[in-house]
Amino acid sequence: MKKFTLSATIAASLALFAGSASAQVNLDAVLSIDGTAITTRAPAPDFLDIDEVISGWVYRAKETQATQMDDFENPAMLFVDQAMDDWNRVDGSEGKSCASCHTNGPEEFAGLRAELPRWDADRGQMMNMEDYINYNRVTYMGAEPLKWAKPRMDAMVALISLQSRGMPINVAIDGPVADIWAQGEEIYYTRVGQLDMACANCHEDNFGNMIRADRLSQGQINGFPTYRLKNAKLNSVQARFKGCMKNIRAEPYAVGSDEFRALELYVASRGNGLSVEGPSVRN
Amino acid sequence: MAENVKPRVRVPRSATAGEAFEIKTLISHKMESGQRKDSDGNPIPRSIIYHFSCDFNGENVFQAQLEGAISTNPYFQFDAVIQESGTFTFTWLDDDGSEYSDSKDITVG
Amino acid sequence: MQFTRRDTLAMGAGAAVATLVPLQAFAGPNEDEMAAFANGAEITDGGVELTAPEIAENGNTVPISVSAPGATNILVIATGNPNPRVIEFMFGPLAGSQTASTRCRLAGTQDVIALAKMADGSVKRASATVKVTIGGCGG
């Protein structure tokens, strides 16, 4: 039986450091998913001080990256399949399914994910994917709204996001959303919580570095909803915001709150130019 | 029956007799390992898919006996080799007594 | 194993990585599993390949592959897991090769062992050390 002395443990940990040095980030790795080219690096939008925006895919281990390169390998697609069943399922007082109105399938929504969140003049408010799904369910299907950050909603968001795969994120930050965007920007740079950290401290000041045993990314959301290896399920943008806030021991804003909506707009715009990845795979 | 268990299989539509080809399978299943505890500290009982089988025209291609250490949404990749056209059948057995299956036809040119 | 602050700092500049101390390979369960599989045959090295990442990004989902030309069964054992058995693959008459891939859970840094039973009853072994990191911002 091996005995683990303190020095042996330290040596093992140092060896792990050496090992992680060999798992460097490969900025030149190329992502193509079943033939669709994905832009994982793009010139940063004007309002940012950094030169380049980089997808979270680039920061993951090569085995994780490989899992996303093929729609069969990607476990997120299991949930897209489930959402397809949901798409065809009659739900609500009007006896309709999504398919009843959207007769050309989810393909009708090519381009939508790339623009969200966006101001909707008819609705008189900023809408994200969850908002659109529920608005249509309630109004046209007479169905119950789906709960955000729960499997059924996350799967549907993934199905519709998939239709914009490869298209550049192009979220408007001016006009009717200008104030919301400014609020989101302020939240991003405000330190909160017991650990007194802002989003920017990790995702702007330290992307590419390790935080404990994790490789930090820029915190982009072009790959959301994402299948995380950690919880083996789809994760939505605002669920992840909540998780991040809890990690720094702050009282998180509520999923669906004005704060998270503003933050979602701002964070989406930080990735303008990166491709929508369809549901991605992350740690 | 565990909730929302959905299989997905990838089999080529056609193959050459005697030439091996790849098959991949995935199935959505929590694979509750039996190692976790609930918020009261009580162990959550094991509830996994414990057996997988792939057969072709009644003959066995590949089987696996899974344990709790297989990740959620079990994934397999393996090779098959066949001499004639026919149907692959895939079967997953669940601790709770359920059986899930899928099938794919293939033509041998 | 508890690290004092001094120990943690001594482990190097930068972030302190919370790694699981490799679990001691107790003689019991791992050896029992291997003996049951080998059924009296001697276990020798070589003849089977085990592919696993050097560093697993997340212990919840670790991709592994095994390959053993001529094998009837391949057993994978995680020597540091609470239950060492991970999976046993059985190759039928229509198997195109004796190879298989899957994704498994590893509780911490440990040796993973693949045992392949050949048609003549002999048993071959391969081993790989997988470092499993625990603790990051994502949890």
Side-chain angles (χ1 to χ4, degrees), chain A:
Chain A
M1 276 204 289
K2 271 164 104 182
K3 235 183 114 190
F4 287 97
T5 61
L6 182 59
S7 53
T9 314
I10 292 174
S13 303
L14 283 172
L16 179 57
F17 269 113
S20 57
S22 70
Q24 287 293 342
V25 177
N26 174 15
L27 287 174
D28 293 325
V30 168
L31 174 59
S32 144
I33 304 175
D34 282 352
T36 304
I38 302 291
T39 303
T40 53
R41 292 169 66 186
D46 290 333
F47 59 85
L48 288 181
D49 275 337
I50 55 180
D51 289 328
E52 207 182 21
V53 287
I54 304 174
S55 166
W57 178 84
V58 172
Y59 294 101
R60 305 275 55 93
K62 61 173 163 48
E63 294 86 8
T64 311
Q65 291 179 331
T67 316
Q68 195 184 322
M69 291 172 86
D70 171 318
D71 272 346
F72 194 89
E73 297 284 318
N74 185 344
M77 299 306 287
L78 278 172
F79 303 100
V80 169
D81 278 354
Q82 287 177 5
M84 219 31 239
D85 288 344
D86 218 0
W87 174 275
N88 290 314
R89 183 178 303 128
V90 166
D91 198 1
S93 60
E94 306 306 299
K96 290 187 175 157
S97 66
C98 310
S100 308
C101 293
H102 299 291
T103 51
N104 291 317
E107 292 82 354
E108 279 184 24
F109 294 112
L112 179 60
R113 169 70 177 80
E115 296 180 354
L116 295 182
R118 71 178 182 198
W119 186 264
D120 188 313
D122 293 336
R123 306 267 62 71
Q125 66 173 87
M126 190 176 79
M127 302 277 280
N128 68 3
M129 190 72 80
E130 285 90 338
D131 287 326
Y132 275 117
I133 291 169
N134 277 341
Y135 174 76
N136 283 277
R137 281 179 61 83
V138 169
T139 311
Y140 298 108
M141 290 165 67
E144 289 296 306
L146 296 178
K147 281 208 164 94
W148 293 33
K150 287 275 183 272
R152 215 174 147 198
M153 174 63 96
D154 292 342
M156 189 58 75
V157 175
L159 171 63
I160 300 178
S161 299
L162 173 62
Q163 311 308 320
S164 295
R165 175 185 281 165
M167 299 180 188
I169 299 271
N170 185 18
V171 159
I173 66 174
D174 53 7
V177 297
D179 286 344
I180 301 174
W181 185 87
Q183 181 192 8
E185 184 186 49
E186 193 183 331
I187 293 174
Y188 194 87
Y189 287 97
T190 303
R191 289 176 179 270
V192 290
Q194 279 190 331
L195 298 189
D196 201 36
M197 292 168 80
C199 314
N201 296 138
C202 285
H203 293 301
E204 188 169 284
D205 301 336
N206 280 293
F207 60 83
N209 293 337
M210 301 296 283
I211 184 161
R212 300 173 73 207
D214 239 348
R215 176 81 64 187
L216 279 173
S217 68
Q218 288 189 344
Q220 299 288 356
I221 57 176
N222 60 308
F224 273 73
T226 186
Y227 183 89
R228 292 191 67 190
L229 300 181
K230 168 193 140 84
N231 58 19
K233 67 182 180 87
L234 281 178
N235 294 259
S236 67
V237 169
Q238 294 196 14
R240 189 66 196 105
F241 286 167
K242 184 173 161 188
C244 274
M245 289 189 79
K246 285 167 92 167
N247 284 147
I248 57 171
R249 302 185 202 157
E251 192 64 51
Y253 300 115
V255 168
S257 62
D258 288 343
E259 289 88 351
F260 273 175
R261 286 166 174 284
L263 191 57
E264 182 174 351
L265 173 65
Y266 177 71
V267 175
S269 74
R270 286 177 70 93
N272 275 346
L274 296 174
S275 297
V276 174
E277 292 183 9
S280 62
V281 181
R282 300 284 189 263
N283 187 0

Side-chain angles (χ1 to χ4, degrees), chain C residues 7-36:
Chain C
D7 297 326
T8 310
L9 286 170
M11 280 192 262
V17 173
T19 74
L20 244 196
V21 172
L23 297 173
Q24 293 181 298
F26 285 107
N30 300 326
E31 262 63 13
D32 286 349
E33 284 298 339
M34 296 200 275

Side-chain angles (χ1 to χ4, degrees), chain C residues 38 44 46 54 62-63 71 73 85-86 89 114 117 136 139:
Chain C
T44 55
E54 205 184 301
V62 183
N73 300 44
R85 268 186 84 91
V86 176
F89 298 114
K117 187 178 294 178

